[in-house]
PDB file of all heavy atoms in Angstrom:
ATOM      1  N   ALA A   1      18.041  50.578  21.524  1.00 85.00           N
ATOM      2  CA  ALA A   1      19.013  49.486  21.409  1.00 85.00           C
ATOM      3  C   ALA A   1      18.906  48.525  22.587  1.00 85.00           C
ATOM      4  O   ALA A   1      19.047  47.310  22.417  1.00 85.00           O
ATOM      5  CB  ALA A   1      20.434  50.057  21.313  1.00 85.00           C
ATOM      6  N   LEU A   2      18.670  49.056  23.775  1.00 84.00           N
ATOM      7  CA  LEU A   2      18.505  48.182  24.943  1.00 84.00           C
ATOM      8  C   LEU A   2      17.283  47.289  24.769  1.00 84.00           C
ATOM      9  O   LEU A   2      17.299  46.110  25.132  1.00 84.00           O
ATOM     10  CB  LEU A   2      18.368  49.017  26.219  1.00 84.00           C
ATOM     11  CG  LEU A   2      19.647  49.705  26.699  1.00 84.00           C
ATOM     12  CD1 LEU A   2      19.357  50.574  27.910  1.00 84.00           C
ATOM     13  CD2 LEU A   2      20.712  48.678  27.042  1.00 84.00           C
ATOM     14  N   ARG A   3      16.208  47.843  24.213  1.00 82.00           N
ATOM     15  CA  ARG A   3      15.010  47.034  23.978  1.00 82.00           C
ATOM     16  C   ARG A   3      15.287  45.931  22.957  1.00 82.00           C
ATOM     17  O   ARG A   3      14.789  44.819  23.076  1.00 82.00           O
ATOM     18  CB  ARG A   3      13.859  47.914  23.484  1.00 82.00           C
ATOM     19  CG  ARG A   3      13.267  48.824  24.545  1.00 82.00           C
ATOM     20  CD  ARG A   3      11.954  49.436  24.076  1.00 82.00           C
ATOM     21  NE  ARG A   3      11.430  50.374  25.052  1.00 82.00           N
ATOM     22  CZ  ARG A   3      11.594  51.679  25.014  1.00 82.00           C
ATOM     23  NH1 ARG A   3      12.273  52.207  24.015  1.00 82.00           N
ATOM     24  NH2 ARG A   3      11.092  52.472  25.948  1.00 82.00           N
ATOM     25  N   GLN A   4      16.077  46.263  21.949  1.00 87.00           N
ATOM     26  CA  GLN A   4      16.293  45.313  20.862  1.00 87.00           C
ATOM     27  C   GLN A   4      17.421  44.321  21.140  1.00 87.00           C
ATOM     28  O   GLN A   4      17.410  43.210  20.607  1.00 87.00           O
ATOM     29  CB  GLN A   4      16.604  46.074  19.564  1.00 87.00           C
ATOM     30  CG  GLN A   4      15.439  46.910  19.054  1.00 87.00           C
ATOM     31  CD  GLN A   4      15.793  47.707  17.811  1.00 87.00           C
ATOM     32  OE1 GLN A   4      16.941  47.671  17.345  1.00 87.00           O
ATOM     33  NE2 GLN A   4      14.835  48.427  17.263  1.00 87.00           N
ATOM     34  N   GLU A   5      18.396  44.708  21.972  1.00 89.00           N
ATOM     35  CA  GLU A   5      19.564  43.861  22.188  1.00 89.00           C
ATOM     36  C   GLU A   5      19.612  43.263  23.598  1.00 89.00           C
ATOM     37  O   GLU A   5      19.835  42.063  23.755  1.00 89.00           O
ATOM     38  CB  GLU A   5      20.858  44.672  21.936  1.00 89.00           C
ATOM     39  CG  GLU A   5      20.956  45.295  20.558  1.00 89.00           C
ATOM     40  CD  GLU A   5      21.114  44.249  19.464  1.00 89.00           C
ATOM     41  OE1 GLU A   5      21.582  43.133  19.761  1.00 89.00           O
ATOM     42  OE2 GLU A   5      20.763  44.550  18.306  1.00 89.00           O
ATOM     43  N   PHE A   6      19.406  44.099  24.620  1.00 88.00           N
ATOM     44  CA  PHE A   6      19.612  43.627  25.985  1.00 88.00           C
ATOM     45  C   PHE A   6      18.385  42.920  26.552  1.00 88.00           C
ATOM     46  O   PHE A   6      18.494  41.845  27.157  1.00 88.00           O
ATOM     47  CB  PHE A   6      20.009  44.804  26.885  1.00 88.00           C
ATOM     48  CG  PHE A   6      20.381  44.402  28.289  1.00 88.00           C
ATOM     49  CD1 PHE A   6      21.453  43.547  28.511  1.00 88.00           C
ATOM     50  CD2 PHE A   6      19.670  44.872  29.378  1.00 88.00           C
ATOM     51  CE1 PHE A   6      21.801  43.174  29.798  1.00 88.00           C
ATOM     52  CE2 PHE A   6      20.007  44.504  30.664  1.00 88.00           C
ATOM     53  CZ  PHE A   6      21.084  43.661  30.873  1.00 88.00           C
ATOM     54  N   GLU A   7      17.207  43.492  26.353  1.00 85.00           N
ATOM     55  CA  GLU A   7      16.010  42.858  26.899  1.00 85.00           C
ATOM     56  C   GLU A   7      15.778  41.465  26.312  1.00 85.00           C
ATOM     57  O   GLU A   7      15.427  40.541  27.060  1.00 85.00           O
ATOM     58  CB  GLU A   7      14.793  43.756  26.704  1.00 85.00           C
ATOM     59  CG  GLU A   7      14.779  44.941  27.647  1.00 85.00           C
ATOM     60  CD  GLU A   7      13.463  45.699  27.637  1.00 85.00           C
ATOM     61  OE1 GLU A   7      12.498  45.192  27.029  1.00 85.00           O
ATOM     62  OE2 GLU A   7      13.410  46.783  28.223  1.00 85.00           O
ATOM     63  N   PRO A   8      15.956  41.247  24.992  1.00 89.00           N
ATOM     64  CA  PRO A   8      15.820  39.866  24.499  1.00 89.00           C
ATOM     65  C   PRO A   8      16.830  38.911  25.126  1.00 89.00           C
ATOM     66  O   PRO A   8      16.515  37.742  25.358  1.00 89.00           O
ATOM     67  CB  PRO A   8      16.049  40.015  22.988  1.00 89.00           C
ATOM     68  CG  PRO A   8      15.660  41.434  22.689  1.00 89.00           C
ATOM     69  CD  PRO A   8      16.090  42.213  23.890  1.00 89.00           C
ATOM     70  N   ALA A   9      18.051  39.395  25.390  1.00 91.00           N
ATOM     71  CA  ALA A   9      19.047  38.535  26.036  1.00 91.00           C
ATOM     72  C   ALA A   9      18.594  38.153  27.445  1.00 91.00           C
ATOM     73  O   ALA A   9      18.741  36.997  27.864  1.00 91.00           O
ATOM     74  CB  ALA A   9      20.401  39.257  26.086  1.00 91.00           C
ATOM     75  N   ILE A  10      18.016  39.115  28.158  1.00 88.00           N
ATOM     76  CA  ILE A  10      17.482  38.832  29.492  1.00 88.00           C
ATOM     77  C   ILE A  10      16.332  37.822  29.399  1.00 88.00           C
ATOM     78  O   ILE A  10      16.226  36.881  30.196  1.00 88.00           O
ATOM     79  CB  ILE A  10      16.988  40.134  30.163  1.00 88.00           C
ATOM     80  CG1 ILE A  10      18.177  40.995  30.595  1.00 88.00           C
ATOM     81  CG2 ILE A  10      16.106  39.821  31.358  1.00 88.00           C
ATOM     82  CD1 ILE A  10      18.786  40.627  31.917  1.00 88.00           C
ATOM     83  N   GLN A  11      15.436  38.025  28.417  1.00 86.00           N
ATOM     84  CA  GLN A  11      14.292  37.130  28.300  1.00 86.00           C
ATOM     85  C   GLN A  11      14.729  35.709  27.939  1.00 86.00           C
ATOM     86  O   GLN A  11      14.177  34.728  28.461  1.00 86.00           O
ATOM     87  CB  GLN A  11      13.301  37.660  27.265  1.00 86.00           C
ATOM     88  CG  GLN A  11      11.956  36.939  27.269  1.00 86.00           C
ATOM     89  CD  GLN A  11      11.218  37.100  28.587  1.00 86.00           C
ATOM     90  OE1 GLN A  11      10.842  38.194  28.978  1.00 86.00           O
ATOM     91  NE2 GLN A  11      11.027  35.988  29.288  1.00 86.00           N
ATOM     92  N   ARG A  12      15.728  35.581  27.054  1.00 89.00           N
ATOM     93  CA  ARG A  12      16.239  34.246  26.728  1.00 89.00           C
ATOM     94  C   ARG A  12      16.843  33.585  27.971  1.00 89.00           C
ATOM     95  O   ARG A  12      16.696  32.366  28.178  1.00 89.00           O
ATOM     96  CB  ARG A  12      17.278  34.341  25.608  1.00 89.00           C
ATOM     97  CG  ARG A  12      16.681  34.688  24.239  1.00 89.00           C
ATOM     98  CD  ARG A  12      17.708  34.490  23.129  1.00 89.00           C
ATOM     99  NE  ARG A  12      18.821  35.426  23.247  1.00 89.00           N
ATOM    100  CZ  ARG A  12      18.857  36.622  22.689  1.00 89.00           C
ATOM    101  NH1 ARG A  12      17.820  37.074  21.989  1.00 89.00           N
ATOM    102  NH2 ARG A  12      19.920  37.392  22.825  1.00 89.00           N
ATOM    103  N   TYR A  13      17.527  34.366  28.764  1.00 89.00           N
ATOM    104  CA  TYR A  13      18.100  33.883  30.026  1.00 89.00           C
ATOM    105  C   TYR A  13      16.993  33.350  30.937  1.00 89.00           C
ATOM    106  O   TYR A  13      17.091  32.243  31.490  1.00 89.00           O
ATOM    107  CB  TYR A  13      18.851  35.054  30.663  1.00 89.00           C
ATOM    108  CG  TYR A  13      19.199  34.977  32.129  1.00 89.00           C
ATOM    109  CD1 TYR A  13      20.324  34.277  32.565  1.00 89.00           C
ATOM    110  CD2 TYR A  13      18.436  35.660  33.070  1.00 89.00           C
ATOM    111  CE1 TYR A  13      20.668  34.259  33.904  1.00 89.00           C
ATOM    112  CE2 TYR A  13      18.780  35.644  34.409  1.00 89.00           C
ATOM    113  CZ  TYR A  13      19.894  34.939  34.824  1.00 89.00           C
ATOM    114  OH  TYR A  13      20.227  34.931  36.159  1.00 89.00           O
ATOM    115  N   LEU A  14      15.907  34.101  31.075  1.00 86.00           N
ATOM    116  CA  LEU A  14      14.797  33.664  31.914  1.00 86.00           C
ATOM    117  C   LEU A  14      14.128  32.425  31.343  1.00 86.00           C
ATOM    118  O   LEU A  14      13.754  31.504  32.085  1.00 86.00           O
ATOM    119  CB  LEU A  14      13.773  34.799  32.058  1.00 86.00           C
ATOM    120  CG  LEU A  14      14.269  36.079  32.740  1.00 86.00           C
ATOM    121  CD1 LEU A  14      13.164  37.123  32.767  1.00 86.00           C
ATOM    122  CD2 LEU A  14      14.755  35.798  34.149  1.00 86.00           C
ATOM    123  N   ASP A  15      13.969  32.390  30.013  1.00 85.00           N
ATOM    124  CA  ASP A  15      13.325  31.232  29.386  1.00 85.00           C
ATOM    125  C   ASP A  15      14.127  29.957  29.640  1.00 85.00           C
ATOM    126  O   ASP A  15      13.560  28.886  29.919  1.00 85.00           O
ATOM    127  CB  ASP A  15      13.163  31.451  27.881  1.00 85.00           C
ATOM    128  CG  ASP A  15      12.143  32.530  27.549  1.00 85.00           C
ATOM    129  OD1 ASP A  15      11.333  32.855  28.433  1.00 85.00           O
ATOM    130  OD2 ASP A  15      12.177  33.044  26.419  1.00 85.00           O
ATOM    131  N   ARG A  16      15.451  30.040  29.530  1.00 87.00           N
ATOM    132  CA  ARG A  16      16.286  28.860  29.781  1.00 87.00           C
ATOM    133  C   ARG A  16      16.179  28.405  31.231  1.00 87.00           C
ATOM    134  O   ARG A  16      16.173  27.199  31.521  1.00 87.00           O
ATOM    135  CB  ARG A  16      17.748  29.153  29.410  1.00 87.00           C
ATOM    136  CG  ARG A  16      18.004  29.228  27.917  1.00 87.00           C
ATOM    137  CD  ARG A  16      19.502  29.184  27.611  1.00 87.00           C
ATOM    138  NE  ARG A  16      20.189  30.357  28.127  1.00 87.00           N
ATOM    139  CZ  ARG A  16      20.349  31.491  27.438  1.00 87.00           C
ATOM    140  NH1 ARG A  16      19.844  31.594  26.207  1.00 87.00           N
ATOM    141  NH2 ARG A  16      20.997  32.501  27.971  1.00 87.00           N
ATOM    142  N   LEU A  17      16.071  29.375  32.142  1.00 86.00           N
ATOM    143  CA  LEU A  17      15.953  29.012  33.555  1.00 86.00           C
ATOM    144  C   LEU A  17      14.603  28.369  33.849  1.00 86.00           C
ATOM    145  O   LEU A  17      14.509  27.445  34.659  1.00 86.00           O
ATOM    146  CB  LEU A  17      16.162  30.252  34.425  1.00 86.00           C
ATOM    147  CG  LEU A  17      17.597  30.816  34.415  1.00 86.00           C
ATOM    148  CD1 LEU A  17      17.664  32.121  35.193  1.00 86.00           C
ATOM    149  CD2 LEU A  17      18.576  29.798  34.997  1.00 86.00           C
ATOM    150  N   VAL A  18      13.548  28.854  33.203  1.00 81.00           N
ATOM    151  CA  VAL A  18      12.231  28.230  33.391  1.00 81.00           C
ATOM    152  C   VAL A  18      12.262  26.781  32.915  1.00 81.00           C
ATOM    153  O   VAL A  18      11.718  25.881  33.564  1.00 81.00           O
ATOM    154  CB  VAL A  18      11.140  29.032  32.645  1.00 81.00           C
ATOM    155  CG1 VAL A  18       9.840  28.244  32.588  1.00 81.00           C
ATOM    156  CG2 VAL A  18      10.898  30.366  33.355  1.00 81.00           C
ATOM    157  N   ASP A  19      12.931  26.535  31.778  1.00 83.00           N
ATOM    158  CA  ASP A  19      13.048  25.164  31.272  1.00 83.00           C
ATOM    159  C   ASP A  19      13.805  24.267  32.245  1.00 83.00           C
ATOM    160  O   ASP A  19      13.585  23.051  32.270  1.00 83.00           O
ATOM    161  CB  ASP A  19      13.762  25.156  29.922  1.00 83.00           C
ATOM    162  CG  ASP A  19      12.919  25.765  28.815  1.00 83.00           C
ATOM    163  OD1 ASP A  19      11.688  25.852  28.988  1.00 83.00           O
ATOM    164  OD2 ASP A  19      13.497  26.174  27.787  1.00 83.00           O
ATOM    165  N   ALA A  20      14.706  24.865  33.035  1.00 83.00           N
ATOM    166  CA  ALA A  20      15.530  24.082  33.962  1.00 83.00           C
ATOM    167  C   ALA A  20      14.909  23.939  35.345  1.00 83.00           C
ATOM    168  O   ALA A  20      15.509  23.313  36.227  1.00 83.00           O
ATOM    169  CB  ALA A  20      16.908  24.741  34.087  1.00 83.00           C
ATOM    170  N   LEU A  21      13.716  24.513  35.553  1.00 79.00           N
ATOM    171  CA  LEU A  21      13.090  24.444  36.874  1.00 79.00           C
ATOM    172  C   LEU A  21      12.810  23.000  37.282  1.00 79.00           C
ATOM    173  O   LEU A  21      12.414  22.183  36.449  1.00 79.00           O
ATOM    174  CB  LEU A  21      11.766  25.217  36.876  1.00 79.00           C
ATOM    175  CG  LEU A  21      11.832  26.734  36.906  1.00 79.00           C
ATOM    176  CD1 LEU A  21      10.425  27.311  36.738  1.00 79.00           C
ATOM    177  CD2 LEU A  21      12.448  27.233  38.204  1.00 79.00           C
ATOM    178  N   PRO A  22      12.993  22.667  38.580  1.00 76.00           N
ATOM    179  CA  PRO A  22      12.547  21.365  39.071  1.00 76.00           C
ATOM    180  C   PRO A  22      11.060  21.165  38.780  1.00 76.00           C
ATOM    181  O   PRO A  22      10.276  22.125  38.791  1.00 76.00           O
ATOM    182  CB  PRO A  22      12.817  21.447  40.579  1.00 76.00           C
ATOM    183  CG  PRO A  22      13.916  22.450  40.711  1.00 76.00           C
ATOM    184  CD  PRO A  22      13.671  23.450  39.620  1.00 76.00           C
ATOM    185  N   SER A  23      10.663  19.923  38.529  1.00 68.00           N
ATOM    186  CA  SER A  23       9.305  19.642  38.054  1.00 68.00           C
ATOM    187  C   SER A  23       8.232  20.087  39.031  1.00 68.00           C
ATOM    188  O   SER A  23       7.116  20.416  38.623  1.00 68.00           O
ATOM    189  CB  SER A  23       9.155  18.147  37.774  1.00 68.00           C
ATOM    190  OG  SER A  23       9.438  17.389  38.945  1.00 68.00           O
ATOM    191  N   ARG A  24       8.517  20.120  40.326  1.00 62.00           N
ATOM    192  CA  ARG A  24       7.491  20.515  41.297  1.00 62.00           C
ATOM    193  C   ARG A  24       7.283  22.033  41.331  1.00 62.00           C
ATOM    194  O   ARG A  24       6.319  22.503  41.913  1.00 62.00           O
ATOM    195  CB  ARG A  24       7.865  20.047  42.697  1.00 62.00           C
ATOM    196  CG  ARG A  24       7.614  18.559  42.928  1.00 62.00           C
ATOM    197  CD  ARG A  24       7.661  18.260  44.413  1.00 62.00           C
ATOM    198  NE  ARG A  24       7.479  16.855  44.689  1.00 62.00           N
ATOM    199  CZ  ARG A  24       6.297  16.254  44.777  1.00 62.00           C
ATOM    200  NH1 ARG A  24       5.201  16.952  44.569  1.00 62.00           N
ATOM    201  NH2 ARG A  24       6.220  14.968  45.052  1.00 62.00           N
ATOM    202  N   LEU A  25       8.210  22.775  40.751  1.00 65.00           N
ATOM    203  CA  LEU A  25       8.099  24.229  40.764  1.00 65.00           C
ATOM    204  C   LEU A  25       7.565  24.669  39.414  1.00 65.00           C
ATOM    205  O   LEU A  25       8.144  24.363  38.376  1.00 65.00           O
ATOM    206  CB  LEU A  25       9.453  24.883  41.028  1.00 65.00           C
ATOM    207  CG  LEU A  25      10.181  24.443  42.303  1.00 65.00           C
ATOM    208  CD1 LEU A  25      11.415  25.304  42.508  1.00 65.00           C
ATOM    209  CD2 LEU A  25       9.279  24.522  43.516  1.00 65.00           C
ATOM    210  N   ASP A  26       6.474  25.419  39.448  1.00 56.00           N
ATOM    211  CA  ASP A  26       5.831  25.828  38.195  1.00 56.00           C
ATOM    212  C   ASP A  26       5.357  27.261  38.326  1.00 56.00           C
ATOM    213  O   ASP A  26       4.334  27.539  38.938  1.00 56.00           O
ATOM    214  CB  ASP A  26       4.645  24.914  37.873  1.00 56.00           C
ATOM    215  CG  ASP A  26       4.017  25.263  36.526  1.00 56.00           C
ATOM    216  OD1 ASP A  26       4.677  25.951  35.731  1.00 56.00           O
ATOM    217  OD2 ASP A  26       2.863  24.861  36.305  1.00 56.00           O
ATOM    218  N   PHE A  27       6.127  28.185  37.797  1.00 51.00           N
ATOM    219  CA  PHE A  27       5.710  29.581  37.789  1.00 51.00           C
ATOM    220  C   PHE A  27       6.406  30.288  36.652  1.00 51.00           C
ATOM    221  O   PHE A  27       7.329  29.751  36.050  1.00 51.00           O
ATOM    222  CB  PHE A  27       6.008  30.275  39.131  1.00 51.00           C
ATOM    223  CG  PHE A  27       7.461  30.284  39.516  1.00 51.00           C
ATOM    224  CD1 PHE A  27       8.270  31.356  39.187  1.00 51.00           C
ATOM    225  CD2 PHE A  27       8.015  29.219  40.202  1.00 51.00           C
ATOM    226  CE1 PHE A  27       9.606  31.370  39.535  1.00 51.00           C
ATOM    227  CE2 PHE A  27       9.355  29.225  40.562  1.00 51.00           C
ATOM    228  CZ  PHE A  27      10.156  30.293  40.229  1.00 51.00           C
ATOM    229  N   LYS A  28       5.945  31.492  36.366  1.00 55.00           N
ATOM    230  CA  LYS A  28       6.446  32.225  35.201  1.00 55.00           C
ATOM    231  C   LYS A  28       7.494  33.238  35.631  1.00 55.00           C
ATOM    232  O   LYS A  28       7.361  33.902  36.647  1.00 55.00           O
ATOM    233  CB  LYS A  28       5.305  32.938  34.476  1.00 55.00           C
ATOM    234  CG  LYS A  28       4.308  31.982  33.825  1.00 55.00           C
ATOM    235  CD  LYS A  28       3.237  32.788  33.113  1.00 55.00           C
ATOM    236  CE  LYS A  28       2.319  31.889  32.297  1.00 55.00           C
ATOM    237  NZ  LYS A  28       1.579  30.945  33.137  1.00 55.00           N
ATOM    238  N   LEU A  29       8.552  33.356  34.821  1.00 51.00           N
ATOM    239  CA  LEU A  29       9.534  34.423  34.979  1.00 51.00           C
ATOM    240  C   LEU A  29       9.523  35.238  33.694  1.00 51.00           C
ATOM    241  O   LEU A  29       9.644  34.683  32.607  1.00 51.00           O
ATOM    242  CB  LEU A  29      10.933  33.846  35.192  1.00 51.00           C
ATOM    243  CG  LEU A  29      11.224  33.208  36.549  1.00 51.00           C
ATOM    244  CD1 LEU A  29      12.560  32.490  36.496  1.00 51.00           C
ATOM    245  CD2 LEU A  29      11.225  34.252  37.649  1.00 51.00           C
ATOM    246  N   ASN A  30       9.359  36.541  33.799  1.00 49.00           N
ATOM    247  CA  ASN A  30       9.383  37.381  32.603  1.00 49.00           C
ATOM    248  C   ASN A  30       9.858  38.769  32.978  1.00 49.00           C
ATOM    249  O   ASN A  30      10.109  39.062  34.147  1.00 49.00           O
ATOM    250  CB  ASN A  30       7.999  37.436  31.952  1.00 49.00           C
ATOM    251  CG  ASN A  30       6.922  37.855  32.937  1.00 49.00           C
ATOM    252  OD1 ASN A  30       7.037  38.908  33.571  1.00 49.00           O
ATOM    253  ND2 ASN A  30       5.893  37.041  33.087  1.00 49.00           N
ATOM    254  N   LEU A  31      10.004  39.616  31.962  1.00 46.00           N
ATOM    255  CA  LEU A  31      10.529  40.959  32.219  1.00 46.00           C
ATOM    256  C   LEU A  31       9.607  41.767  33.105  1.00 46.00           C
ATOM    257  O   LEU A  31      10.035  42.721  33.741  1.00 46.00           O
ATOM    258  CB  LEU A  31      10.759  41.687  30.891  1.00 46.00           C
ATOM    259  CG  LEU A  31      11.913  41.132  30.050  1.00 46.00           C
ATOM    260  CD1 LEU A  31      12.011  41.894  28.745  1.00 46.00           C
ATOM    261  CD2 LEU A  31      13.221  41.207  30.794  1.00 46.00           C
ATOM    262  N   GLY A  32       8.316  41.419  33.139  1.00 49.00           N
ATOM    263  CA  GLY A  32       7.403  42.128  34.027  1.00 49.00           C
ATOM    264  C   GLY A  32       7.740  41.913  35.485  1.00 49.00           C
ATOM    265  O   GLY A  32       7.473  42.757  36.330  1.00 49.00           O
ATOM    266  N   ASN A  33       8.354  40.750  35.805  1.00 48.00           N
ATOM    267  CA  ASN A  33       8.739  40.469  37.181  1.00 48.00           C
ATOM    268  C   ASN A  33      10.095  41.068  37.527  1.00 48.00           C
ATOM    269  O   ASN A  33      10.413  41.243  38.688  1.00 48.00           O
ATOM    270  CB  ASN A  33       8.798  38.956  37.414  1.00 48.00           C
ATOM    271  CG  ASN A  33       7.447  38.295  37.255  1.00 48.00           C
ATOM    272  OD1 ASN A  33       6.428  38.912  37.515  1.00 48.00           O
ATOM    273  ND2 ASN A  33       7.438  37.044  36.807  1.00 48.00           N
ATOM    274  N   ILE A  34      10.922  41.316  36.512  1.00 47.00           N
ATOM    275  CA  ILE A  34      12.245  41.876  36.755  1.00 47.00           C
ATOM    276  C   ILE A  34      12.178  43.379  36.581  1.00 47.00           C
ATOM    277  O   ILE A  34      11.872  43.880  35.513  1.00 47.00           O
ATOM    278  CB  ILE A  34      13.281  41.293  35.768  1.00 47.00           C
ATOM    279  CG1 ILE A  34      13.191  39.767  35.740  1.00 47.00           C
ATOM    280  CG2 ILE A  34      14.676  41.746  36.127  1.00 47.00           C
ATOM    281  CD1 ILE A  34      13.475  39.081  37.036  1.00 47.00           C
TER     282      ILE A  34
END
């Protein structure tokens, strides 16, 4: 259930933050880093 419910919520959170990054900052955030 954590894989199906919580991890996708975390990944969506990271994806939204990547979209909001200042243009000069370019790097990946994913569950592998957390």
Side-chain angles (χ1 to χ4, degrees):
L2 288 176
R3 288 192 184 97
Q4 294 177 358
E5 303 292 336
F6 186 61
E7 286 190 10
I10 287 277
Q11 191 62 64
R12 289 192 294 270
Y13 163 82
L14 298 178
D15 291 342
R16 287 194 295 271
L17 292 174
V18 168
D19 290 341
L21 285 173
S23 58
R24 283 195 182 276
L25 305 187
D26 184 17
F27 60 93
K28 293 181 173 63
L29 287 170
N30 53 55
L31 290 178
N33 296 330
I34 310 299

